[in-house]
Amino acid sequence: MLTPFIPRYRNFYKVRFPTPRHAGGKSLLLTTALAGLVLPNIASAESTASDPHRHTDATVGHVQANPSKKAEALRPVKAAAGEDILVSVARRAHGTMISVGTAQIQRAVPGTNPLKVLGQAPGVMFQSADPQGLDVWSTQIYMHGFMQNQISTTLDDVPLGELTYRNYNGLNPIQAISSENVQRVDVSTGAGAESVASTNNLGGSLEYQSSSPKDKVGGEIVQTFGSYDLFHTFIRADSGKLNESGTKFFVSYMRNDTQKWKGGGNQFSQQVNAKLVQPVGEDSKITAYFDWSDLHEYLYQDYSLDIMNNGGYNIDNYYNGRYSGYVNAYNAALGHYPANFSGISDKADAAYYDGAANINDYLGYLQGDFRITDRLRWKTTVYGHGQTNALTWTNPFYASPTGSPMFEQVKQPSIQRFGILSAAHYDIAHNHIEAGVWYENNQFNSTMYGYAEPALGQGAPLNAVDSFHTRDAFMQLFGQHISTNTFTAYAQDTYNILPNLALHFGFKSLLNTSNAGNGYYNNAYYGDGEMMHGSLTTFRAFLPHISGDWHFLKHHELYFDIAENVHAYPQAQFKTAASPYAQTEASYLASSASLKPESDWAYAIGYRYSSRIFDASVHAYRINFFNRLQQITTGNIVNPVATVMNVGNITTNGVDAAITLRPVNGLSWTNSISYNHSTYDNNLNSQGVTYHTKGQQAVAYPRIMYKTSAIYDYGPMEATIDASWTSQRNLSYTGDAKVPSYWMSNFGLRYRFGNLGKYAHALNRVENLDLSFNIYNLNGAKYVSTMGENGFPLSGDFQSFLVGAPRMFFGSIKVSF
C-alpha cells in the first residue's frame, strides 16, 4: 500500500525499479525513506534491489500504482513534489549511487556549480577560488581520493570528457548546461557504472540529467545580486505541448558577471540551452539538445606557501583595469617589485600582469529512445562538440619584439569530436539485461603562441579577454595535433533473486588509440628538443563489475560493490598534465618503459538504517590503484620543467559514516565524518635522488573531513546552515610541505510566496515567487582551496594552489510563470 503522506522535511530516495514496458506506457516511480544521508538532502546512500515488475520514467515525484504483491514488500512511500534526493537504480544493484536534485541545487546561490552542492557529501571534496564554483581554472572535485580527471562525466549519456582545465576531449559541465536546467546529478562514489561512456572512471562517475520541457506553457526568471558586483540572470521559456503528439521544447539564456574578489578584472559567462522532445507513440520519444557557452574570465594568481606566509591572502596579478597596473607589471619584470613583496623569496612569480580564460563551446545531440516490444527498449544518441580556447598568462621572463620585458603567452587549443552511443535493454523473468556500444572520434589541436606587449607609452596593453584569433602572434611556442578513436562495449545483468535481494554482473571492454605527429617545438625558446610524437593504445577486453543489495529487515540494508577499471592515456597539452603527450620526446623515452595506463580495483561494502526519526549509514571502501601517473614540476609556472612519472601504486582504505536526526517537525540535522588513508606503496627515484614517499598520504586529499548541516522548514520559510572541517593536505609527495586545515560555514534563507493569485487575481499567472538570501564563508575563514593546478613537487614548496574566497552576501528573486 502507498503511504498517503510524508512531511516535506523528511529525506527520501526515489528508487527506480526496472520492469518490462506494459502497453500504454505505464510507469512507476516509488520513493522510500532510506538511510545513509549525507546531509538532509544529500544521500550517502546506495541503490535498493530492483523489482522485476516495475519501471520508471523521468518524472520526479510522480507515482503510479502497480498491483504487484512484490511491490508491497518494499513499502514505498510518496514524496513531496520537487523532492531533491534520489538514489537511482538504473537496472543495477549499485551500492554507491547518490543523487543531487533540483531542490538541493536551488538552496545554493543561483548559478552555483552543482558539483559544489555535491561537495557536501561525505568522501567528496569540492574546491574553487570563487563562491559559485564557476572559475574554470580553480574548480576541482575529489571523491575518495580520486582527482576529477579520474572521474567520468556525462550529460544525458553524452560524454563530457575529463573534468579538467584545458580539457582535451570534452568540456566542463558548467559549460554544457546551465545549473538551473539540471534536473539531477547521479553520482557513483565508488566504481563507475560500465554503461557510462568514458575512458577515465577510475573513481566513479557524474551523470548529469537535464530537465525536460514542461507540459504547460510557462517560464522562469531568476535575478541575483551579490558581493563584488555579482549580477546573475537566468531566463527560461517553456512551450508546453504544441500539438496532440505532445511536441514540446524549452529555450533558456543565462548570464553571470562578477568582479574578482581580489585583484582586477571580471569573470563573465553567458549560455544558451535548448531542448526539444517529440513523443513517438505511447512510450517512445526523440530528443534534441543544444548548448552554446561563451566564457571570459580573469583568473586568480597561483600561490605557494612562501607567498601565503610572507605576502598574505590578497596578492594577485597586477592587472587592475587601468594603465597603472601595466606599469607595475612592467617594472616588476625589470626587477622593481611592490613593497609588500619584500618578504617573498620568489618575487618574479608572485604576480604577473594578467591571466585569463576565453572558452567557446557548441554541444548538441539527437537521441532516440524507443520501445520495440513490451520487453525490449533501444536507445541511440549521436552527438557533436566543438571548442575553441584562448588561455593566457603574461610571461615576465621573455621580452616582446617591441622592447617590453614581457609577452602574452596564449594557449589556443581546439576540440572537434563526434560520437554515437547505442544500447538495448531487455527484461525477462527476474533478469534486467543491458548491452551497448560507444564510439567517438576526437581531433585535438594543441598550440601556444606569443603575442607582443607594448613598451611603456607605445600603446595600450593587450586585452586578455579579447579574441586572440584575430591578432598576429610574433612567435609560436609549440603545436601538436592528436587524433583519438575510442570504442567501448559493455554487457550487464541485474538479477532479482528475491524482491528484496538483487545481484548485478557486468563487464566493459575498452579500446582507445591516440596518434600525435611530430609537432612544432620552438628550440629558440625551449632549447634543443622536440614534441613527443607517436601512437599510444589502451586496451582492456574484460573489466568486470559485480554488486549486490539486500534489504534484510524492515529498516536495514546491506550492499557491496566490486569493479576493475582503467584510465586511457590522456592527451593533454604540453607541460599541462600527467600525460605522456605533455612532455618532450626525450622525457617520454626516458620514462616510457614505466608508463602504463592507470587502473584500479575498487571494493565497497556498506550498511544503512532508516526510520522516521533518524537515518544512519556506514560506507567502507578499499582501492588498489596501479601505475598512477603524475606530473612532476619544478621551476616557474609559466614555463615549468615538467616530467610525467609513474609514481607507482596507491593503497586506499576509507570509511564514511553519517547520521541524520529529525527531532521535531521541519528540522533535519545531519552529521558525517570521512576517513581516508591513501598512501603511496613505494618511494620515488628521480635523477638519481630517492624521495621517501612510501606511506605518505596522497597529495591534495585530506585524511579527515567532518561535515554538519541543519535545515529548518517552517511553512513557506526555509533556513539552512552548514559547516565543514577539512584536515591538512600534502602539497608535496614526501609530505614535507602541507597546507593547513580549516573550518568553513555557509548560511541560507528562503521564503516561498507561492501563487500570487491569493494576493491579487491579476497576479494569478505567477505560480511562485521565491526570495532568498545567502552568506558564503559565514565565519570568514582564510583557507587554501584548489591544489595541484600546476602539478605537485616531489619535495618542498611549489606555486600550485589557490586561496579561497572571503565572506560574501547574495540576494535572489525567482519568478515562475
Side-chain angles (χ1 to χ4, degrees):
M1 299 295 292
L2 290 176
T3 304
F5 175 76
I6 296 294
R8 66 180 301 162
Y9 66 86
R10 289 297 310 279
N11 303 288
F12 300 97
Y13 299 89
K14 292 186 177 68
V15 182
R16 294 190 278 175
F17 298 93
T19 186
R21 270 64 179 173
H22 300 293
K26 299 288 184 179
S27 66
L28 178 65
L29 180 60
L30 299 181
T31 59
T32 63
L34 303 178
L37 293 181
V38 172
L39 284 175
N41 291 282
I42 297 245
S44 79
E46 303 71 29
S47 61
T48 60
S50 300
D51 186 332
H53 297 281
R54 298 175 175 233
H55 80 282
T56 68
D57 57 19
T59 308
V60 176
H62 178 64
V63 178
Q64 290 182 322
N66 188 321
S68 169
K69 293 182 179 181
K70 292 183 179 181
E72 295 179 1
L74 293 170
R75 303 180 61 82
V77 296
K78 184 177 180 179
E83 189 58 58
D84 55 338
I85 292 309
L86 308 94
V87 173
S88 303
V89 183
R91 290 178 177 78
R92 61 185 182 269
H94 194 281
T96 56
M97 289 294 285
I98 66 176
S99 191
V100 179
T102 54
Q104 179 66 14
I105 295 171
Q106 289 172 1
R107 290 193 181 97
V109 176
T112 293
N113 189 333
L115 296 184
K116 181 178 176 63
V117 180
L118 175 64
Q120 299 169 0
V124 179
M125 181 182 69
F126 179 86
Q127 299 289 358
S128 179
D130 72 302
Q132 291 176 286
L134 302 181
D135 181 295
V136 291
W137 172 243
S138 67
T139 55
Q140 188 177 78
I141 190 166
Y142 281 75
M143 295 199 307
H144 289 162
F146 284 99
M147 297 189 295
Q148 57 194 17
N149 67 319
Q150 296 157 341
I151 302 168
S152 62
T153 311
T154 63
L155 170 64
D156 297 338
D157 300 336
V158 174
L160 300 183
E162 299 202 4
L163 208 170
T164 60
Y165 188 70
R166 307 187 194 96
N167 195 320
Y168 66 85
N169 65 349
L171 69 165
N172 194 302
I174 63 173
Q175 295 161 251
I177 184 171
S178 300
S179 62
E180 289 90 346
N181 291 328
V182 175
Q183 177 177 312
R184 68 180 189 274
V185 185
D186 296 330
V187 184
S188 168
T189 60
E194 54 267 49
S195 58
V196 176
S198 78
T199 61
N200 66 315
N201 60 341
L202 291 174
S205 59
L206 304 167
E207 300 176 62
Y208 281 70
Q209 302 295 328
S210 64
S211 61
S212 295
K214 297 178 181 178
D215 290 340
K216 294 174 59 178
V217 177
E220 183 176 280
I221 300 175
V222 180
Q223 184 61 61
T224 301
F225 305 91
S227 300
Y228 299 93
D229 299 327
L230 173 75
F231 191 87
H232 175 85
T233 303
F234 175 79
I235 302 172
R236 168 167 161 162
D238 283 83
S239 69
K241 291 185 177 180
L242 299 174
N243 48 43
E244 291 184 358
S245 69
T247 306
K248 56 184 179 179
F249 69 86
F250 76 74
V251 178
S252 70
Y253 173 77
M254 183 280 298
R255 180 183 186 274
N256 200 91
D257 191 9
T258 182
Q259 295 295 310
K260 291 169 58 183
W261 62 266
K262 67 172 181 175
N266 70 325
Q267 297 192 318
F268 171 84
S269 62
Q270 59 181 337
Q271 190 170 39
V272 172
N273 291 161
K275 185 175 183 179
L276 181 144
V277 176
Q278 174 60 63
V280 178
E282 293 292 329
D283 194 19
S284 301
K285 63 180 179 179
I286 297 173
T287 303
Y289 178 83
F290 171 79
D291 166 73
W292 170 72
S293 174
D294 182 44
L295 181 147
H296 303 274
E297 295 180 339
Y298 282 94
L299 306 177
Y300 294 95
Q301 174 65 318
D302 302 293
Y303 260 56
S304 64
L305 293 172
D306 172 40
I307 297 173
M308 185 175 70
N309 295 332
N310 299 309
Y313 282 79
N314 291 316
I315 288 179
D316 201 57
N317 291 319
Y318 295 103
Y319 177 84
N320 60 6
R322 300 183 298 274
Y323 195 69
S324 61
Y326 185 70
V327 173
N328 291 336
Y330 198 99
N331 290 332
L334 296 175
H336 309 297
Y337 302 103
N340 62 327
F341 281 33
S342 60
I344 299 173
S345 60
D346 184 6
K347 299 177 180 61
D349 286 302
Y352 306 134
Y353 172 55
D354 63 20
N358 304 274
I359 307 174
N360 186 268
D361 285 281
Y362 291 90
L363 173 70
Y365 71 75
L366 183 66
Q367 185 177 87
D369 185 4
F370 302 104
R371 177 170 67 92
I372 307 301
T373 70
D374 286 348
R375 296 184 179 275
L376 177 64
R377 290 195 74 86
W378 176 45
K379 187 177 184 180
T380 296
T381 306
V382 293
Y383 64 90
H385 169 227
Q387 182 183 91
T388 57
N389 296 262
L391 313 172
T392 91
W393 290 99
T394 308
N395 187 331
F397 303 105
Y398 194 92
S400 292
T402 59
S404 172
M406 53 190 178
F407 76 99
E408 201 73 9
Q409 181 173 309
V410 185
K411 291 182 172 69
Q412 295 181 219
S414 64
I415 298 171
Q416 287 188 342
R417 62 190 183 106
F418 302 91
I420 182 170
L421 308 101
S422 189
H425 310 262
Y426 186 70
D427 297 321
I428 182 171
H430 298 284
N431 294 276
H432 314 287
I433 302 169
E434 180 179 337
V437 295
W438 167 46
Y439 170 76
E440 179 180 278
N441 174 264
N442 178 36
Q443 303 297 319
F444 175 56
N445 286 296
S446 170
T447 57
M448 185 162 70
Y449 295 92
Y451 293 83
E453 291 283 9
L456 286 182
Q458 300 301 311
L462 295 177
N463 182 357
V465 293
D466 195 4
S467 173
F468 288 89
H469 298 283
T470 60
R471 297 177 180 270
D472 293 326
F474 74 87
M475 71 170 173
Q476 182 177 0
L477 284 82
F478 67 78
Q480 191 178 46
H481 176 81
I482 304 176
S483 178
T484 304
N485 288 287
T486 300
F487 176 81
T488 68
Y490 73 94
Q492 61 186 24
D493 177 26
T494 299
Y495 175 55
N496 289 96
I497 302 172
L498 297 169
N500 62 336
L501 177 62
L503 290 176
H504 171 88
F505 302 90
F507 76 94
K508 176 180 180 178
S509 300
L510 180 146
L511 175 63
N512 176 273
T513 300
S514 296
N515 184 70
N518 187 3
Y520 176 77
Y521 182 88
N522 191 325
N523 294 101
Y525 182 79
Y526 290 117
D528 292 339
E530 58 181 329
M531 298 291 292
M532 184 272 177
H533 56 276
S535 179
L536 292 174
T537 296
T538 304
F539 174 66
R540 292 291 188 278
F542 185 75
L543 296 168
H545 184 192
I546 178 172
S547 58
D549 195 279
W550 180 31
H551 294 258
F552 60 96
L553 289 173
K554 180 179 179 181
H555 298 292
H556 303 264
E557 181 183 2
L558 286 173
Y559 62 88
F560 74 91
D561 195 87
I562 303 171
E564 182 186 17
N565 274 301
V566 69
H567 182 185
Y569 288 116
Q571 297 98 49
Q573 282 188 278
F574 188 46
K575 297 191 178 186
T576 62
S579 165
Y581 294 98
Q583 55 188 336
T584 64
E585 178 72 5
S587 294
Y588 168 72
L589 292 176
S591 61
S592 60
S594 66
L595 296 183
K596 299 178 181 179
E598 297 177 327
S599 63
D600 71 352
W601 276 95
Y603 310 87
I605 187 170
Y607 163 79
R608 179 169 64 231
Y609 175 85
S610 177
S611 72
R612 292 180 179 272
I613 303 302
F614 76 94
D615 305 319
S617 70
V618 177
H619 174 85
Y621 57 94
R622 178 183 174 88
I623 301 163
N624 295 117
F625 189 178
F626 308 105
N627 303 307
R628 183 164 182 170
L629 301 181
Q630 286 291 348
Q631 179 189 16
I632 310 299
T633 51
T634 59
N636 66 68
I637 60 177
V638 294
N639 186 20
V641 177
T643 58
V644 177
M645 294 180 60
N646 183 337
V647 298
N649 303 337
I650 293 178
T651 300
T652 298
N653 293 292
V655 61
D656 302 328
I659 184 169
T660 297
L661 303 175
R662 291 177 287 271
V664 297
N665 285 356
L667 177 62
S668 185
W669 180 34
T670 295
N671 290 271
S672 71
I673 189 166
S674 302
Y675 175 79
N676 177 278
H677 189 267
S678 295
T679 57
Y680 302 106
D681 292 351
N682 51 276
N683 295 325
L684 287 178
N685 292 284
S686 178
Q687 297 180 345
V689 178
T690 298
Y691 293 88
H692 297 282
T693 56
K694 184 176 181 179
Q696 287 293 326
Q697 178 77 2
V699 291
Y701 193 74
R703 184 152 287 181
I704 299 175
M705 290 187 289
Y706 168 72
K707 301 174 184 180
T708 182
S709 176
I711 295 181
Y712 184 62
D713 199 343
Y714 183 77
M717 185 193 73
E718 180 185 75
T720 64
I721 187 168
D722 65 77
S724 62
W725 182 78
T726 302
S727 68
Q728 64 182 6
R729 292 165 282 164
N730 282 346
L731 176 62
S732 66
Y733 287 97
T734 58
D736 59 350
K738 303 177 185 291
V739 301
S741 60
Y742 68 93
W743 277 96
M744 166 68 76
S745 59
N746 304 284
F747 173 78
L749 183 66
R750 181 170 59 164
Y751 191 89
R752 301 173 289 258
F753 287 89
N755 193 302
L756 298 189
K758 58 189 174 185
Y759 303 106
H761 182 72
L763 299 176
N764 190 59
R765 190 73 180 86
V766 180
E767 293 184 354
N768 190 42
L769 172 65
D770 276 15
L771 297 179
S772 61
F773 174 71
N774 295 82
I775 304 176
Y776 171 81
N777 195 356
L778 182 64
N779 58 317
K782 292 185 177 181
Y783 67 100
V784 171
S785 58
T786 309
M787 295 181 65
E789 66 274 15
N790 295 311
F792 298 95
L794 285 170
S795 179
D797 193 11
F798 189 64
Q799 193 172 350
S800 191
F801 64 81
L802 296 160
V803 294
R807 184 186 298 115
M808 294 190 191
F809 303 88
F810 306 91
S812 305
I813 181 171
K814 181 174 75 172
V815 182
S816 302
F817 301 95

